[in-house]
Each structure stands twice: as structure tokens, then as C-alpha cells.
Amino acid sequence: MAMNAIEVKNVSKRYGKVQALSDVSFTVGKGEVFGLIGPDGAGKTTMFRILCTLLLPDEGTAAVDGFDTVSQMKAIRRRVGYMPGRFSLYQDLTVSENLQFFAKLFGTTVEAGYDSIKAIYQQIERFRDRKAGALSGGMKQKLALSCALVHSPSVLFLDEPTTGVDPVSRKELWDMLGSLKERGITIVASTPYLDEVRRCERVAFLDHGQLRGIGTPDAILTRFKDIFNPPPISPSVATESQQTENVIEVQHLVKAFGSFHAVDDISFSVKRGEIFGFLGANGAGKTTAMHMLTGLNQPTSGTGTVVGYDIRTEHEQIKKHIGYMSQKFSLYEDLTVAENIRLFAGIYGMNDKEIARKTDELLQRLQFSDHKNDLVSSLPLGWKQKLAFSVSIFHEPGVVFLDEPTGGVDPATRRQFWELIYDAAARGITVFVTTHYMDEAEYCDRISIMVDGKISALGTPDELKQRFHQPDMDHVFTYLARQATRSSD
């Protein structure tokens, strides 16, 4: 039997004109925790799919547990677990139905595989009759991992398993992976989070389909620090006149669903041109609060205004005077860059002459002029992200709401995105942002952290670090989030 769990030799894969992988070779030892890292579009997901027998390589060979990925597919499929980035769960099935489905798929039963998932599944078992779509990010993560492990695989593939999941749930997942390693399971994971990269024993760095380096996390992160550890941005400085006017004011806001208070009596204000970080674990109430501020949902009680409009009675006015960008970006993939800009500008009520002038300015500023007729679906993720943000503030709103805008994006691209945020704030646009990256929390002027529907801390990053005697925002967040008493959903 081969000593290595995985052997990749000279693998190449092309999609039309795009060379997704180019002559890639590496090995992974049995029982190793191995990281596959690199910027968006590097070829990581293509490599995962080849190793899981979902794609055939154009050239080269790959073997998992000594079996060839092309000629011995069935043997590999019995031996591997695969957790793709968006979780492979069926949203309309319950927790227990999802698990039974995956067990059946692999020709086993939940009972037969229970010992291999017990430690993880027991944490969510009491929600077994709840639909997967109603779970928080951390709970979905545990269910998806249970589904990937129910047939007792010897190799586990995890493609960005923690994107969109809060820092505490991320740490819990990696602690679980540590216990799987002790059982001899080989783990191959991709992640954009540097703290997770460091929990691997070795990492392979892919970039534009080529393997640029392989070694310990510290060696690779140091060697390619321009990509993984770009210099920090100097904090934004809003002018005095901007700092006096409140653009968001909230008093005693409550949103109840029956007896459950998703948002439980919160009060705060945000000034013009301020970058305001709105943090909290999955299920803390952030999204519900944002929906009330953006006019998508009305409060049960309490008051609030956004750009001078009442969130209870003037939600249609609010929608016209704000920008919004979600983690899913909200661009139309089958329209061109210019068509997307024109569509959203029209929705915001801008006239044709103004749209034409501002479109040219925007394309020049983003250096997209040569790509204005490209379909959005053909753009790299980082470009889509910059375009989505630029479109969300095209009409110069008073506030832009950014809901996890950098999820799953590499550090260098995230830094470029934050430069756009600083530019917007300097023009007097208030930025209201949620993020699970705690290095981004350090970039905010002020931060609120929600726990169990309430705001448990509010202040500048430096104030919060001093108040809770913690070295950085990651430690502050973890310290507060671990005090949550209600379930993560």
C-alpha cells in the first residue's frame, strides 16, 4: 500500500481558454492535515473536484489511497468525504433527513456510522427535526461535516469550510479536525483565513493554476507575504464637520418572533462618514438588525432613523437613500459590466446623462474601461467584489450597508477592497459593515459586538482591547461571544 494518502503528478486542467491547473504535482502523507491555499481563481476547487473524481484531468494522474481517480473512481468515492464551500446540504430537508440521505448515498446507515460522527453530531442532535435552511452558519458547518463523515472516510476534503462563519465557530471546527486527525483521517483543506492556514502541517500555494510553493505554513506565508500579509492600511480620518451629524440613530430597538427576541433592546448612533463595524457570532441578531435598518423588516418596538427617515414608516424612502451589498454581491452574472451599472443606476432613479458621465468615471477609476462589455460571470471574484461595491454607492447614498462583503476572499484582494471603503468614507458616505475577519474589525472607526440579541460592547478597537484586556479584536470577539447563553440559532 502506498505511504502517501494522495499523489498528484503533472496534473493540468483547462476550461476553454482558461488554464485552471498547469502541471501540478504534490503528495500528502497519511494522517496529515494539508492546506491548499491561494487567491481566488487559483485552481483550488478544480483540484478538489479532480481528487474527489468529480472532474477528469486533461493531463497527468492523481491517486487517493493508492486508487487512480480516473480508472478506480468507485473505490475512491467510498473512501473520501467532501465538504464543498457552500455546504452540500439540502436546505428543505431536516438535520436528520440530510444525514440519512448522505448515509444512504454511501450505502451505509446513520446507525452504522454513528460512532464516527458522534462527537460532532451530538452538538446539533437536539435540532434533528429542524430544516437545514433554518440553521445558523456554525450549525450548518457541523451538519455538513457530519454528512461528510457518516460513511467513515479515510480522506476528508474541505473546500473553504468556514467561509461566512464567525470566529468562534471557525475555531470549533478546527478543533474537531484535530480530533479527526488523531483517528488517522487525512485532511486536505482550503481556507482564506491565516489562523487556519497555520493549523495545517504543510501547505501548497496555488496561483493562476500553478504550484508556486510547498512547505510549512510559516515558510510559505513568509515567502509570499505580499499576497498573504499585505501592509495594513492607515486608519481613516473623518473631518470634524462630518463627525457631528448622526446618520443612523437607534433607540430601544426590539424584533421578536413569538417569544424569541432576535434583537433585544439595542441603542446606538453612527456619524456621517464613519466606518462602523457591526459584529456578532452567527445567530447573535446582526442580520435581523440590519434588515430593520435597511427597510426590509419592521421592528416590534423601539425607534430608529436612517438618513433622517423613520425605519417604521418611511422604509421606501430609506431604500432610495442607502446602498446595500451582500456577501452574494447582487450583480447580474449574465449582464456586462456596463449593463449592471446602468441597471442599478436606473433603479436608484438617476437620469441617463448622469449615468453615462458617472459610468465613464467609475470605469476609469477601477481601471475597467477595457472590460466594460465583458460579462460579469467572466470576471475574477475580486473584480466582481469591487464592481458590486462601486455600484452600491454609485448614487452617492448617505449610508452603505455591507453584509460580509469579503467572505472567502484572499488578503491582498480584501486590502484593495478596504481602500475603496476608505475612499467612500472620505467622501462622507457612512459605511456600516459586518465581517467575520477580525483584522478588518481593526480598520473600523468604531465597533459594536452583539451577543444574544444585545449590544455587549461598543467603542473604538483600541478602547475595546483596553476595556477587556485583550491583545487584538479576535481575542475581544472570542471573549464576548463565548459568554452567549442562547443557542447559536
Side-chain angles (χ1 to χ4, degrees), residues 80-83 102 106 143-153 156:
V80 303
Y82 178 45
M83 192 167 148
F102 281 93
F106 289 108
L143 176 57
L145 190 55
S146 298
C147 291
L149 291 169
V150 71
H151 60 298
S152 306
L156 182 62

Side-chain angles (χ1 to χ4, degrees), residues 120-162:
I120 298 160
Y121 185 58
Q122 276 182 339
Q123 298 176 46
I124 54 169
E125 197 165 11
R126 68 184 185 280
F127 301 107
R128 58 180 167 268
D129 296 327
R130 185 174 295 185
K131 286 189 175 177
L135 299 175
S136 71
M139 306 272 280
K140 282 180 180 169
Q141 177 183 262
K142 290 178 180 125
L143 176 57
L145 190 55
S146 298
C147 291
L149 291 169
V150 71
H151 60 298
S152 306
S154 56
V155 183
L156 182 62
F157 293 101
L158 305 166
D159 190 0
E160 296 195 0
T162 56

Side-chain angles (χ1 to χ4, degrees), residues 167 170-171 174 191 193-200 474:
R170 290 201 292 108
K171 289 184 177 82
W174 278 85
T191 175
Y193 295 99
L194 299 189
D195 58 322
E196 295 181 3
V197 170
R198 290 192 174 93
R199 292 185 74 160
C200 300
D474 186 48

Side-chain angles (χ1 to χ4, degrees), residues 136-138 164-170 193 262 276-290 403-404 432-438 441 447-457 464 473-474 476-482 484 486 488:
S136 71
V165 177
D166 67 81
V168 173
S169 298
R170 290 201 292 108
Y193 295 99
F276 188 79
F278 199 60
L279 310 185
N282 294 107
K286 299 188 309 294
T287 303
T288 306
M290 262 180 113
D403 193 1
E404 291 177 37
F432 189 100
V433 59
T434 72
T435 179
H436 286 319
Y437 289 97
M438 291 301 108
I447 289 163
S448 130
I449 300 179
M450 282 189 81
V451 178
D452 290 349
K454 296 179 184 292
I455 291 177
S456 61
L464 297 184
M473 283 309 302
D474 186 48
V476 171
F477 182 93
T478 303
Y479 171 77
L480 291 169
R482 290 225 156 111
R486 72 189 192 193
S488 66

Side-chain angles (χ1 to χ4, degrees), residues 77-98:
R77 287 178 182 177
R78 286 196 294 271
R79 285 168 169 76
V80 303
Y82 178 45
M83 192 167 148
R86 287 277 170 262
F87 305 140
S88 47
L89 302 172
Y90 290 89
Q91 305 293 317
D92 292 333
L93 296 183
T94 64
V95 167
S96 122
E97 286 167 345
N98 265 286

Side-chain angles (χ1 to χ4, degrees), residues 68-320:
D68 183 83
T69 58
V70 177
S71 61
Q72 297 169 302
M73 277 184 190
K74 284 188 176 170
I76 288 177
R77 287 178 182 177
R78 286 196 294 271
R79 285 168 169 76
V80 303
Y82 178 45
M83 192 167 148
R86 287 277 170 262
F87 305 140
S88 47
L89 302 172
Y90 290 89
Q91 305 293 317
D92 292 333
L93 296 183
T94 64
V95 167
S96 122
E97 286 167 345
N98 265 286
L99 201 55
Q100 285 162 11
F101 173 80
F102 281 93
K104 197 169 184 182
L105 205 60
F106 289 108
T108 184
T109 63
V110 175
E111 292 70 32
Y114 191 78
D115 281 351
S116 63
I117 62 168
K118 182 176 170 185
I120 298 160
Y121 185 58
Q122 276 182 339
Q123 298 176 46
I124 54 169
E125 197 165 11
R126 68 184 185 280
F127 301 107
R128 58 180 167 268
D129 296 327
R130 185 174 295 185
K131 286 189 175 177
L135 299 175
S136 71
M139 306 272 280
K140 282 180 180 169
Q141 177 183 262
K142 290 178 180 125
L143 176 57
L145 190 55
S146 298
C147 291
L149 291 169
V150 71
H151 60 298
S152 306
S154 56
V155 183
L156 182 62
F157 293 101
L158 305 166
D159 190 0
E160 296 195 0
T162 56
T163 294
V165 177
D166 67 81
V168 173
S169 298
R170 290 201 292 108
K171 289 184 177 82
E172 284 178 0
L173 179 95
W174 278 85
D175 291 344
M176 291 179 224
L177 297 183
S179 66
L180 296 177
K181 176 187 161 54
E182 286 169 17
R183 283 170 29 201
I185 296 175
T186 305
I187 295 163
V188 182
S190 69
T191 175
Y193 295 99
L194 299 189
D195 58 322
E196 295 181 3
V197 170
R198 290 192 174 93
R199 292 185 74 160
C200 300
E201 291 164 85
R202 284 188 309 142
V203 294
F205 171 39
L206 279 176
D207 188 21
H208 292 92
Q210 297 185 322
L211 185 67
R212 291 190 48 197
I214 193 161
T216 65
D218 281 345
I220 296 298
L221 293 178
T222 302
R223 188 170 148 203
F224 300 102
K225 65 177 184 290
D226 55 324
I227 292 165
F228 293 106
N229 195 16
I233 307 171
S234 56
S236 68
V237 182
T239 65
E240 285 302 313
S241 62
Q242 288 174 339
Q243 286 290 0
T244 55
E245 179 193 342
N246 284 337
V247 177
I248 299 172
E249 292 187 344
V250 168
Q251 270 136 8
H252 304 295
L253 207 57
V254 173
K255 182 65 180 180
F257 298 97
S259 61
F260 177 72
H261 284 202
V263 173
D264 192 5
D265 192 12
I266 63 172
S267 301
F268 64 91
S269 61
V270 184
K271 291 179 168 41
R272 175 172 158 79
E274 186 172 23
I275 300 173
F276 188 79
F278 199 60
L279 310 185
N282 294 107
K286 299 188 309 294
T287 303
T288 306
M290 262 180 113
H291 282 173
M292 288 189 279
L293 295 176
T294 53
L296 297 173
N297 221 323
Q298 274 63 65
T300 306
S301 63
T303 60
T305 58
V306 174
V307 286
Y309 296 102
D310 191 314
I311 62 171
R312 300 179 68 96
T313 58
E314 298 177 297
H315 24 94
E316 291 309 314
Q317 285 296 330
I318 287 174
K319 287 176 191 172
K320 286 179 191 165

